[in-house]
Amino acid sequence: MAMGVEVVAQPVKRGPGTGPLTLSVNGQARELDVEPRVSLLDALREHLRLTGSKKGCDQGTCGACTVWVDGRRVLACLTLAVTCQGREVTTIEGLAADGELHPMQEAFVAHDAFQCGYCTPGQIMSAVALLEEGHAGDDAEIAEWMSGNICRCAAYPHIRAAIREVRDSAGG
C-alpha cells in the first residue's frame, strides 16, 4: 500500500524489444509478439494478416485505416497496438455476420460507392459508425462526419447515397 492506495497490479514494463500482446479482434483473442512502437494497423496487416484496413497515408489524414476500438472509430495507423490490449477491435473483416454482407457493404455495392476500392473499407467502417452516432440527418451532415475519409476517385455522391439507403431502411 502506498499513500493509502492499494496497488492491484504492477504496470507491464516494456522495453524496445518485442513482447507478448493479446488483442481481441473481431471477437477472437489473437496472440502477437510485437515491439511497443507497432501501430494497430501494422499489427493487423503484418502480424495478423488482416489486410482489409488499408495503409494510405500512414499519417492519419486519409481514413483508409479506419477500424473500431470498443465501438468507436479510430485511425489504426496512429494507434499503438499495445494500447488496444483489453479492448475490442473490429475491422472490415469482422463487419459481415454469418457470411452475409453488412447492409452498408451491400449498399456500397448497389450504389457503386467505390471506384478503385482502396478507401472502401475505411469508408464503410466510418459510415456504419456515423449512423450509429446519429450523424446522418442530411447530405451536409454526412459529408461533415465522413470528412476524415478521403476518396481520391471522388465517389462521394455514391457514398452518401449508400449511407442514405441504409439510414432510410433502418427507419431514420
Side-chain angles (χ1 to χ4, degrees), residues 18-41:
T18 63
L21 174 65
T22 303
L23 292 178
S24 177
V25 181
N26 301 326
Q28 181 181 12
R30 306 289 299 268
E31 302 289 330
L32 300 98
D33 192 46
V34 297
E35 294 178 346
R37 64 188 175 111
V38 169
S39 71
L40 177 58
L41 180 61

Side-chain angles (χ1 to χ4, degrees), residues 1 6 26 38 47-48 68 80 83 130 137 166 168 171:
M1 226 189 248
E6 183 179 343
N26 301 326
V38 169
H47 296 274
L48 298 178
W68 303 335
L80 292 175
T83 66
L130 164 100
V166 176
D168 296 346

